[in-house]
């Protein structure tokens, strides 16, 4: 099982951002359902990852983490949508022992 995980992880290396859907057009507000599956998958990867692999995941997902947290804290979204976006990011961050509240927006 460890070999299979390592193979999957190595295949994803450098392509983590491809897991996320493209951003919605400017006329449409982003919804928390848009990328929940990407965050769930990253959380599953992070839970089984070595420290080195976790660093790689954080490095590659950093832009999406920051963008999502900034959007949720911006005040431009309804509070339920902002809370759901934060919860999605926390799926990943909590698997690493972190929380979106620790991210400077």
């Amino acid at each position: 099982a460890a070999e299979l995980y390592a193979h999957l992880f190595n295949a994803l290396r450098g392509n983590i951002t491809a897991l996320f859907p493209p951003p919605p057009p400017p006329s449409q507000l982003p919804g928390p359902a848009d990328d929940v599956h990407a965050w769930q998958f990253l959380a599953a990867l992070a839970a089984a990852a070595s420290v080195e692999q976790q660093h790689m995941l954080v490095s590659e997902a950093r832009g999406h983490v920051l963008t999502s947290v900034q959007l949720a804290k911006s005040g431009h979204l309804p509070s339920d949508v902002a809370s759901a976006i934060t919860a999605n990011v926390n799926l990943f961050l909590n698997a690493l022992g972190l929380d979106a509240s620790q991210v400077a927006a």
Side-chain angles (χ1 to χ4, degrees):
E3 268 185 45
L4 181 58
Y5 179 83
H7 181 71
L8 172 64
F9 201 90
N10 288 331
L12 290 170
R13 187 181 301 265
N15 296 301
I16 294 296
T17 58
L19 296 172
F20 290 91
S27 61
Q28 180 183 345
L29 287 176
D34 294 343
D35 60 4
V36 67
H37 301 300
W39 293 115
Q40 290 170 336
F41 185 68
L42 285 177
L45 285 175
S50 68
V51 173
E52 177 186 327
Q53 291 167 330
Q54 287 180 347
H55 282 102
M56 190 279 297
L57 285 172
V58 169
S59 176
E60 288 196 33
R62 178 177 284 123
H64 285 282
V65 169
L66 293 175
T67 299
S68 295
V69 170
Q70 288 170 347
L71 180 63
K73 291 181 177 181
S74 71
H76 297 300
L77 298 175
S79 61
D80 60 327
V81 173
S83 294
I85 289 172
T86 301
N88 287 349
V89 175
N90 273 334
L91 289 169
F92 172 56
L93 293 179
N94 291 169
L96 298 165
L98 302 170
D99 190 84
S101 65
Q102 298 170 301
V103 176

